Amino acid sequence: SNMVGIAFWDASGCITDGNEMAVQMLGYSREEMQSRQILWKDITPPEFHEIDAAMQAQLLAQGVCPPFEKAYIRKDGTQVPILI
């Protein structure tokens, strides 16, 4: 019943799982998410790659990063705005 999409990923950038809202938001099935075939970079529009890299570096260095806005590319090719 969570209204927030939550996806999990590993250090290599593969999505490993997601809740039902993440499934609905991104259009991938739970099985597709768990297959480790979906990479964050592949579902992130190029204009957000730089901020993603900066925030990941900050997360690794400090254990936290500030919230930021970006978009993901759904399975159908459309974009969905999100807050990380």
Side-chain angles (χ1 to χ4, degrees), residues 6-65:
I6 300 172
F8 301 93
W9 54 282
D10 64 19
S12 69
C14 291
I15 296 176
T16 59
D17 205 354
N19 68 357
E20 183 59 33
M21 185 56 72
V23 167
Q24 290 178 26
M25 288 173 64
L26 297 175
Y28 291 94
S29 70
R30 207 61 201 282
E31 292 76 18
E32 287 173 308
M33 288 187 176
Q34 293 171 342
S35 74
R36 297 180 180 265
Q37 300 297 311
I38 305 167
L39 299 173
W40 281 113
K41 188 174 181 180
D42 293 342
I43 65 168
T44 299
E47 62 267 26
F48 295 105
H49 287 189
E50 189 174 318
I51 192 164
D52 266 3
M55 291 299 142
Q56 287 178 14
Q58 184 173 348
L59 181 61
L60 289 171
Q62 300 176 4
V64 296
C65 70

Short mmCIF file of all heavy atoms in Angstrom, two decimals, residues 6-65:
data_model
loop_
_atom_site.label_atom_id
_atom_site.label_comp_id
_atom_site.label_asym_id
_atom_site.label_seq_id
_atom_site.Cartn_x
_atom_site.Cartn_y
_atom_site.Cartn_z
N ILE A 6 9.78 2.34 -4.53
CA ILE A 6 11.08 2.02 -3.94
C ILE A 6 11.73 0.94 -4.79
O ILE A 6 11.15 -0.12 -5.01
CB ILE A 6 10.93 1.53 -2.49
CG1 ILE A 6 10.26 2.62 -1.64
CG2 ILE A 6 12.29 1.15 -1.92
CD1 ILE A 6 9.88 2.16 -0.25
N ALA A 7 12.92 1.25 -5.27
CA ALA A 7 13.68 0.26 -6.05
C ALA A 7 15.02 0.07 -5.37
O ALA A 7 15.57 1.00 -4.76
CB ALA A 7 13.87 0.73 -7.48
N PHE A 8 15.54 -1.12 -5.46
CA PHE A 8 16.83 -1.46 -4.88
C PHE A 8 17.81 -1.75 -6.00
O PHE A 8 17.43 -2.31 -7.02
CB PHE A 8 16.69 -2.69 -3.97
CG PHE A 8 15.72 -2.49 -2.86
CD1 PHE A 8 14.40 -2.88 -3.00
CD2 PHE A 8 16.10 -1.88 -1.67
CE1 PHE A 8 13.48 -2.69 -1.98
CE2 PHE A 8 15.19 -1.69 -0.65
CZ PHE A 8 13.87 -2.09 -0.80
N TRP A 9 19.06 -1.38 -5.79
CA TRP A 9 20.08 -1.62 -6.80
C TRP A 9 21.38 -1.99 -6.12
O TRP A 9 21.59 -1.69 -4.96
CB TRP A 9 20.24 -0.42 -7.72
CG TRP A 9 20.51 0.89 -7.04
CD1 TRP A 9 19.60 1.69 -6.39
CD2 TRP A 9 21.76 1.55 -6.91
NE1 TRP A 9 20.22 2.80 -5.90
CE2 TRP A 9 21.54 2.75 -6.19
CE3 TRP A 9 23.04 1.27 -7.34
CZ2 TRP A 9 22.56 3.64 -5.90
CZ3 TRP A 9 24.05 2.16 -7.05
CH2 TRP A 9 23.80 3.33 -6.34
N ASP A 10 22.24 -2.67 -6.86
CA ASP A 10 23.53 -3.07 -6.30
C ASP A 10 24.62 -2.09 -6.71
O ASP A 10 24.36 -1.12 -7.44
CB ASP A 10 23.87 -4.52 -6.68
CG ASP A 10 24.06 -4.72 -8.18
OD1 ASP A 10 24.30 -3.74 -8.91
OD2 ASP A 10 23.97 -5.88 -8.61
N ALA A 11 25.84 -2.33 -6.26
CA ALA A 11 26.94 -1.41 -6.51
C ALA A 11 27.29 -1.27 -7.99
O ALA A 11 27.85 -0.26 -8.40
CB ALA A 11 28.17 -1.86 -5.73
N SER A 12 26.93 -2.26 -8.80
CA SER A 12 27.22 -2.17 -10.24
C SER A 12 26.14 -1.39 -10.99
O SER A 12 26.28 -1.15 -12.19
CB SER A 12 27.38 -3.56 -10.83
OG SER A 12 26.13 -4.24 -10.85
N GLY A 13 25.06 -1.00 -10.31
CA GLY A 13 24.00 -0.23 -10.95
C GLY A 13 22.83 -1.05 -11.45
O GLY A 13 21.93 -0.51 -12.09
N CYS A 14 22.82 -2.36 -11.17
CA CYS A 14 21.71 -3.22 -11.58
C CYS A 14 20.56 -3.09 -10.58
O CYS A 14 20.77 -3.18 -9.37
CB CYS A 14 22.12 -4.68 -11.62
SG CYS A 14 23.28 -5.08 -12.93
N ILE A 15 19.36 -2.91 -11.09
CA ILE A 15 18.19 -2.95 -10.22
C ILE A 15 18.01 -4.40 -9.79
O ILE A 15 18.06 -5.31 -10.60
CB ILE A 15 16.94 -2.43 -10.94
CG1 ILE A 15 17.12 -0.95 -11.29
CG2 ILE A 15 15.69 -2.64 -10.09
CD1 ILE A 15 15.99 -0.35 -12.09
N THR A 16 17.80 -4.59 -8.50
CA THR A 16 17.66 -5.94 -7.96
C THR A 16 16.25 -6.25 -7.50
O THR A 16 15.89 -7.42 -7.36
CB THR A 16 18.63 -6.17 -6.79
OG1 THR A 16 18.35 -5.22 -5.75
CG2 THR A 16 20.08 -6.03 -7.24
N ASP A 17 15.44 -5.23 -7.26
CA ASP A 17 14.06 -5.45 -6.82
C ASP A 17 13.35 -4.10 -6.73
O ASP A 17 13.99 -3.05 -6.83
CB ASP A 17 14.02 -6.13 -5.45
CG ASP A 17 12.73 -6.91 -5.19
OD1 ASP A 17 11.80 -6.83 -6.02
OD2 ASP A 17 12.66 -7.61 -4.18
N GLY A 18 12.05 -4.14 -6.56
CA GLY A 18 11.27 -2.93 -6.38
C GLY A 18 9.91 -3.26 -5.80
O GLY A 18 9.44 -4.40 -5.95
N ASN A 19 9.31 -2.28 -5.15
CA ASN A 19 7.97 -2.52 -4.61
C ASN A 19 6.93 -2.35 -5.73
O ASN A 19 7.26 -2.01 -6.86
CB ASN A 19 7.69 -1.62 -3.41
CG ASN A 19 7.57 -0.15 -3.75
OD1 ASN A 19 7.73 0.28 -4.88
ND2 ASN A 19 7.28 0.66 -2.74
N GLU A 20 5.69 -2.58 -5.39
CA GLU A 20 4.62 -2.53 -6.38
C GLU A 20 4.49 -1.17 -7.04
O GLU A 20 4.25 -1.05 -8.24
CB GLU A 20 3.28 -2.95 -5.76
CG GLU A 20 2.13 -3.02 -6.74
CD GLU A 20 2.36 -4.00 -7.90
OE1 GLU A 20 3.02 -5.04 -7.71
OE2 GLU A 20 1.87 -3.70 -9.02
N MET A 21 4.70 -0.09 -6.27
CA MET A 21 4.61 1.25 -6.85
C MET A 21 5.75 1.48 -7.85
O MET A 21 5.54 2.09 -8.90
CB MET A 21 4.63 2.32 -5.76
CG MET A 21 4.43 3.73 -6.30
SD MET A 21 2.91 3.96 -7.27
CE MET A 21 1.67 3.89 -6.00
N ALA A 22 6.95 0.99 -7.57
CA ALA A 22 8.06 1.11 -8.53
C ALA A 22 7.73 0.34 -9.80
O ALA A 22 8.02 0.81 -10.90
CB ALA A 22 9.35 0.62 -7.91
N VAL A 23 7.13 -0.83 -9.66
CA VAL A 23 6.71 -1.62 -10.82
C VAL A 23 5.73 -0.80 -11.67
O VAL A 23 5.88 -0.71 -12.88
CB VAL A 23 6.08 -2.96 -10.36
CG1 VAL A 23 5.35 -3.65 -11.50
CG2 VAL A 23 7.14 -3.87 -9.76
N GLN A 24 4.75 -0.19 -11.03
CA GLN A 24 3.77 0.61 -11.74
C GLN A 24 4.40 1.84 -12.38
O GLN A 24 4.10 2.19 -13.53
CB GLN A 24 2.65 1.05 -10.80
CG GLN A 24 1.76 -0.08 -10.36
CD GLN A 24 0.70 0.39 -9.37
OE1 GLN A 24 0.30 1.56 -9.37
NE2 GLN A 24 0.25 -0.51 -8.52
N MET A 25 5.30 2.51 -11.66
CA MET A 25 5.92 3.73 -12.17
C MET A 25 6.82 3.47 -13.37
O MET A 25 6.82 4.24 -14.32
CB MET A 25 6.74 4.40 -11.06
CG MET A 25 5.92 5.04 -9.97
SD MET A 25 6.95 5.63 -8.60
CE MET A 25 7.93 6.87 -9.42
N LEU A 26 7.58 2.38 -13.31
CA LEU A 26 8.57 2.12 -14.36
C LEU A 26 8.08 1.21 -15.46
O LEU A 26 8.66 1.17 -16.54
CB LEU A 26 9.85 1.54 -13.73
CG LEU A 26 10.56 2.47 -12.75
CD1 LEU A 26 11.73 1.75 -12.10
CD2 LEU A 26 11.02 3.73 -13.46
N GLY A 27 7.03 0.44 -15.19
CA GLY A 27 6.46 -0.41 -16.23
C GLY A 27 7.16 -1.75 -16.40
O GLY A 27 6.84 -2.51 -17.31
N TYR A 28 8.14 -2.04 -15.55
CA TYR A 28 8.81 -3.34 -15.58
C TYR A 28 8.17 -4.25 -14.55
O TYR A 28 7.73 -3.79 -13.49
CB TYR A 28 10.30 -3.19 -15.24
CG TYR A 28 11.10 -2.48 -16.29
CD1 TYR A 28 11.33 -1.11 -16.22
CD2 TYR A 28 11.62 -3.17 -17.37
CE1 TYR A 28 12.06 -0.45 -17.19
CE2 TYR A 28 12.35 -2.52 -18.36
CZ TYR A 28 12.56 -1.16 -18.25
OH TYR A 28 13.28 -0.52 -19.23
N SER A 29 8.13 -5.53 -14.84
CA SER A 29 7.58 -6.48 -13.87
C SER A 29 8.57 -6.70 -12.73
O SER A 29 9.76 -6.38 -12.85
CB SER A 29 7.29 -7.83 -14.54
OG SER A 29 8.52 -8.48 -14.88
N ARG A 30 8.09 -7.24 -11.66
CA ARG A 30 8.96 -7.58 -10.52
C ARG A 30 10.04 -8.55 -10.97
O ARG A 30 11.20 -8.44 -10.58
CB ARG A 30 8.06 -8.20 -9.48
CG ARG A 30 8.35 -8.16 -8.05
CD ARG A 30 8.42 -6.78 -7.42
NE ARG A 30 9.17 -6.94 -6.20
CZ ARG A 30 8.67 -7.42 -5.09
NH1 ARG A 30 7.41 -7.76 -5.01
NH2 ARG A 30 9.43 -7.56 -4.04
N GLU A 31 9.66 -9.50 -11.81
CA GLU A 31 10.62 -10.49 -12.30
C GLU A 31 11.72 -9.82 -13.14
O GLU A 31 12.88 -10.19 -13.06
CB GLU A 31 9.90 -11.57 -13.12
CG GLU A 31 8.99 -12.47 -12.30
CD GLU A 31 7.66 -11.81 -11.91
OE1 GLU A 31 7.24 -10.80 -12.54
OE2 GLU A 31 7.03 -12.31 -10.96
N GLU A 32 11.33 -8.84 -13.95
CA GLU A 32 12.32 -8.12 -14.74
C GLU A 32 13.28 -7.36 -13.83
O GLU A 32 14.49 -7.32 -14.09
CB GLU A 32 11.64 -7.16 -15.72
CG GLU A 32 10.97 -7.86 -16.89
CD GLU A 32 10.16 -6.92 -17.74
OE1 GLU A 32 9.31 -6.16 -17.19
OE2 GLU A 32 10.36 -6.93 -18.96
N MET A 33 12.75 -6.74 -12.79
CA MET A 33 13.60 -6.03 -11.85
C MET A 33 14.55 -6.98 -11.15
O MET A 33 15.72 -6.67 -10.95
CB MET A 33 12.77 -5.25 -10.84
CG MET A 33 12.09 -4.05 -11.41
SD MET A 33 11.30 -3.11 -10.09
CE MET A 33 10.69 -1.73 -11.01
N GLN A 34 14.07 -8.13 -10.77
CA GLN A 34 14.89 -9.09 -10.04
C GLN A 34 15.89 -9.82 -10.93
O GLN A 34 16.80 -10.47 -10.43
CB GLN A 34 14.00 -10.10 -9.31
CG GLN A 34 13.19 -9.45 -8.21
CD GLN A 34 12.13 -10.37 -7.62
OE1 GLN A 34 11.75 -11.37 -8.21
NE2 GLN A 34 11.65 -10.02 -6.44
N SER A 35 15.75 -9.69 -12.24
CA SER A 35 16.63 -10.40 -13.18
C SER A 35 18.03 -9.79 -13.26
O SER A 35 18.92 -10.38 -13.86
CB SER A 35 16.01 -10.41 -14.58
OG SER A 35 16.12 -9.11 -15.17
N ARG A 36 18.20 -8.60 -12.70
CA ARG A 36 19.48 -7.87 -12.75
C ARG A 36 19.88 -7.50 -14.19
O ARG A 36 21.04 -7.35 -14.50
CB ARG A 36 20.59 -8.66 -12.07
CG ARG A 36 20.34 -8.87 -10.61
CD ARG A 36 21.48 -9.64 -9.96
NE ARG A 36 21.22 -9.82 -8.55
CZ ARG A 36 21.68 -9.04 -7.59
NH1 ARG A 36 22.42 -8.00 -7.89
NH2 ARG A 36 21.39 -9.28 -6.32
N GLN A 37 18.91 -7.35 -15.05
CA GLN A 37 19.16 -6.96 -16.44
C GLN A 37 18.87 -5.48 -16.70
O GLN A 37 19.15 -4.98 -17.78
CB GLN A 37 18.29 -7.82 -17.39
CG GLN A 37 18.55 -9.30 -17.29
CD GLN A 37 19.97 -9.65 -17.70
OE1 GLN A 37 20.44 -9.23 -18.75
NE2 GLN A 37 20.65 -10.40 -16.88
N ILE A 38 18.30 -4.79 -15.71
CA ILE A 38 17.94 -3.38 -15.87
C ILE A 38 18.97 -2.55 -15.11
O ILE A 38 19.13 -2.72 -13.90
CB ILE A 38 16.53 -3.09 -15.33
CG1 ILE A 38 15.50 -4.00 -16.00
CG2 ILE A 38 16.18 -1.62 -15.55
CD1 ILE A 38 14.15 -4.00 -15.31
N LEU A 39 19.66 -1.68 -15.82
CA LEU A 39 20.66 -0.82 -15.20
C LEU A 39 20.09 0.57 -14.98
O LEU A 39 19.37 1.11 -15.85
CB LEU A 39 21.90 -0.71 -16.07
CG LEU A 39 22.65 -2.00 -16.35
CD1 LEU A 39 23.77 -1.75 -17.37
CD2 LEU A 39 23.23 -2.56 -15.06
N TRP A 40 20.43 1.18 -13.84
CA TRP A 40 19.99 2.55 -13.58
C TRP A 40 20.37 3.47 -14.72
O TRP A 40 19.59 4.31 -15.14
CB TRP A 40 20.63 3.09 -12.29
CG TRP A 40 19.99 2.63 -11.04
CD1 TRP A 40 20.55 1.81 -10.10
CD2 TRP A 40 18.68 2.92 -10.57
NE1 TRP A 40 19.66 1.58 -9.09
CE2 TRP A 40 18.50 2.26 -9.35
CE3 TRP A 40 17.62 3.68 -11.07
CZ2 TRP A 40 17.33 2.33 -8.62
CZ3 TRP A 40 16.45 3.75 -10.34
CH2 TRP A 40 16.32 3.08 -9.14
N LYS A 41 21.59 3.33 -15.20
CA LYS A 41 22.06 4.21 -16.27
C LYS A 41 21.19 4.10 -17.52
O LYS A 41 20.94 5.08 -18.21
CB LYS A 41 23.52 3.89 -16.60
CG LYS A 41 24.14 4.88 -17.54
CD LYS A 41 25.62 4.62 -17.73
CE LYS A 41 26.21 5.64 -18.67
NZ LYS A 41 27.63 5.43 -18.87
N ASP A 42 20.72 2.89 -17.81
CA ASP A 42 19.91 2.67 -19.00
C ASP A 42 18.51 3.28 -18.89
O ASP A 42 17.90 3.61 -19.91
CB ASP A 42 19.78 1.18 -19.31
CG ASP A 42 21.10 0.56 -19.73
OD1 ASP A 42 22.03 1.30 -20.12
OD2 ASP A 42 21.20 -0.68 -19.65
N ILE A 43 18.00 3.42 -17.67
CA ILE A 43 16.67 4.01 -17.52
C ILE A 43 16.73 5.48 -17.11
O ILE A 43 15.70 6.09 -16.84
CB ILE A 43 15.77 3.20 -16.54
CG1 ILE A 43 16.30 3.24 -15.12
CG2 ILE A 43 15.59 1.78 -17.03
CD1 ILE A 43 15.32 2.72 -14.09
N THR A 44 17.94 6.02 -17.08
CA THR A 44 18.12 7.44 -16.75
C THR A 44 18.43 8.23 -18.01
O THR A 44 19.38 7.89 -18.72
CB THR A 44 19.28 7.61 -15.74
OG1 THR A 44 18.95 6.90 -14.54
CG2 THR A 44 19.51 9.07 -15.41
N PRO A 45 17.66 9.26 -18.32
CA PRO A 45 17.97 10.09 -19.48
C PRO A 45 19.38 10.67 -19.36
O PRO A 45 19.83 10.99 -18.25
CB PRO A 45 16.91 11.19 -19.43
CG PRO A 45 15.77 10.60 -18.65
CD PRO A 45 16.43 9.71 -17.64
N PRO A 46 20.09 10.80 -20.48
CA PRO A 46 21.48 11.26 -20.45
C PRO A 46 21.71 12.57 -19.69
O PRO A 46 22.75 12.76 -19.07
CB PRO A 46 21.84 11.42 -21.93
CG PRO A 46 20.91 10.50 -22.64
CD PRO A 46 19.64 10.48 -21.83
N GLU A 47 20.74 13.47 -19.73
CA GLU A 47 20.94 14.76 -19.06
C GLU A 47 21.04 14.63 -17.54
O GLU A 47 21.43 15.58 -16.85
CB GLU A 47 19.84 15.76 -19.45
CG GLU A 47 18.44 15.36 -19.06
CD GLU A 47 17.67 14.61 -20.14
OE1 GLU A 47 18.29 13.96 -21.00
OE2 GLU A 47 16.43 14.67 -20.12
N PHE A 48 20.72 13.45 -16.98
CA PHE A 48 20.80 13.25 -15.54
C PHE A 48 22.01 12.39 -15.14
O PHE A 48 22.23 12.16 -13.95
CB PHE A 48 19.52 12.61 -15.01
CG PHE A 48 18.31 13.49 -15.16
CD1 PHE A 48 17.37 13.23 -16.14
CD2 PHE A 48 18.13 14.59 -14.34
CE1 PHE A 48 16.25 14.04 -16.29
CE2 PHE A 48 17.02 15.41 -14.48
CZ PHE A 48 16.08 15.14 -15.47
N HIS A 49 22.80 11.92 -16.09
CA HIS A 49 23.94 11.05 -15.76
C HIS A 49 24.95 11.75 -14.87
O HIS A 49 25.48 11.14 -13.94
CB HIS A 49 24.60 10.54 -17.03
CG HIS A 49 23.79 9.49 -17.73
ND1 HIS A 49 24.28 8.78 -18.79
CD2 HIS A 49 22.52 9.03 -17.54
CE1 HIS A 49 23.36 7.93 -19.22
NE2 HIS A 49 22.29 8.08 -18.48
N GLU A 50 25.23 13.01 -15.13
CA GLU A 50 26.23 13.73 -14.35
C GLU A 50 25.79 13.90 -12.90
O GLU A 50 26.57 13.66 -11.97
CB GLU A 50 26.51 15.10 -14.98
CG GLU A 50 27.68 15.81 -14.34
CD GLU A 50 28.04 17.10 -15.07
OE1 GLU A 50 28.03 17.11 -16.31
OE2 GLU A 50 28.33 18.08 -14.37
N ILE A 51 24.55 14.31 -12.68
CA ILE A 51 24.08 14.47 -11.29
C ILE A 51 23.99 13.12 -10.59
O ILE A 51 24.30 13.02 -9.40
CB ILE A 51 22.76 15.26 -11.19
CG1 ILE A 51 22.51 15.64 -9.73
CG2 ILE A 51 21.60 14.49 -11.76
CD1 ILE A 51 21.48 16.71 -9.50
N ASP A 52 23.60 12.08 -11.30
CA ASP A 52 23.58 10.74 -10.71
C ASP A 52 24.97 10.36 -10.21
O ASP A 52 25.12 9.88 -9.08
CB ASP A 52 23.12 9.70 -11.72
CG ASP A 52 21.63 9.41 -11.66
OD1 ASP A 52 20.92 10.06 -10.87
OD2 ASP A 52 21.19 8.52 -12.40
N ALA A 53 25.98 10.56 -11.04
CA ALA A 53 27.35 10.21 -10.67
C ALA A 53 27.81 11.02 -9.46
O ALA A 53 28.43 10.47 -8.53
CB ALA A 53 28.29 10.42 -11.85
N ALA A 54 27.49 12.31 -9.45
CA ALA A 54 27.89 13.16 -8.32
C ALA A 54 27.20 12.72 -7.03
O ALA A 54 27.84 12.66 -5.97
CB ALA A 54 27.57 14.62 -8.63
N MET A 55 25.92 12.41 -7.11
CA MET A 55 25.19 12.00 -5.90
C MET A 55 25.63 10.62 -5.42
O MET A 55 25.71 10.37 -4.22
CB MET A 55 23.69 12.04 -6.16
CG MET A 55 23.14 13.43 -6.33
SD MET A 55 23.40 14.45 -4.86
CE MET A 55 23.78 16.00 -5.60
N GLN A 56 25.94 9.72 -6.34
CA GLN A 56 26.45 8.41 -5.94
C GLN A 56 27.80 8.54 -5.26
O GLN A 56 28.05 7.88 -4.25
CB GLN A 56 26.54 7.48 -7.15
CG GLN A 56 25.20 6.99 -7.63
CD GLN A 56 25.31 6.11 -8.85
OE1 GLN A 56 26.38 5.64 -9.22
NE2 GLN A 56 24.19 5.87 -9.51
N ALA A 57 28.66 9.41 -5.77
CA ALA A 57 29.96 9.64 -5.14
C ALA A 57 29.78 10.21 -3.74
O ALA A 57 30.46 9.79 -2.79
CB ALA A 57 30.81 10.58 -6.00
N GLN A 58 28.86 11.16 -3.59
CA GLN A 58 28.60 11.73 -2.27
C GLN A 58 28.04 10.68 -1.33
O GLN A 58 28.42 10.63 -0.16
CB GLN A 58 27.65 12.92 -2.38
CG GLN A 58 27.43 13.62 -1.05
CD GLN A 58 26.63 14.90 -1.18
OE1 GLN A 58 26.42 15.42 -2.27
NE2 GLN A 58 26.18 15.42 -0.06
N LEU A 59 27.15 9.84 -1.82
CA LEU A 59 26.57 8.78 -1.00
C LEU A 59 27.66 7.82 -0.52
O LEU A 59 27.70 7.45 0.66
CB LEU A 59 25.50 8.02 -1.80
CG LEU A 59 24.77 6.91 -1.08
CD1 LEU A 59 24.02 7.42 0.13
CD2 LEU A 59 23.81 6.22 -2.05
N LEU A 60 28.56 7.44 -1.41
CA LEU A 60 29.64 6.54 -1.02
C LEU A 60 30.59 7.19 -0.02
O LEU A 60 31.06 6.55 0.92
CB LEU A 60 30.42 6.08 -2.25
CG LEU A 60 29.68 5.09 -3.15
CD1 LEU A 60 30.46 4.86 -4.44
CD2 LEU A 60 29.44 3.77 -2.44
N ALA A 61 30.87 8.47 -0.21
CA ALA A 61 31.82 9.17 0.65
C ALA A 61 31.24 9.54 2.02
O ALA A 61 31.92 9.44 3.03
CB ALA A 61 32.33 10.43 -0.05
N GLN A 62 29.95 9.94 2.03
CA GLN A 62 29.38 10.49 3.25
C GLN A 62 28.24 9.65 3.84
O GLN A 62 27.77 9.94 4.93
CB GLN A 62 28.88 11.91 3.00
CG GLN A 62 29.99 12.84 2.56
CD GLN A 62 29.47 14.23 2.21
OE1 GLN A 62 28.30 14.54 2.35
NE2 GLN A 62 30.37 15.07 1.72
N GLY A 63 27.76 8.69 3.07
CA GLY A 63 26.66 7.86 3.56
C GLY A 63 25.29 8.45 3.32
O GLY A 63 24.29 7.79 3.57
N VAL A 64 25.22 9.68 2.82
CA VAL A 64 23.95 10.35 2.51
C VAL A 64 24.16 11.28 1.32
O VAL A 64 25.27 11.68 1.01
CB VAL A 64 23.40 11.18 3.70
CG1 VAL A 64 23.06 10.31 4.88
CG2 VAL A 64 24.38 12.26 4.10
N CYS A 65 23.07 11.63 0.68
CA CYS A 65 23.10 12.68 -0.33
C CYS A 65 21.79 13.45 -0.21
O CYS A 65 20.79 12.91 0.27
CB CYS A 65 23.29 12.11 -1.74
SG CYS A 65 21.90 11.19 -2.40
#
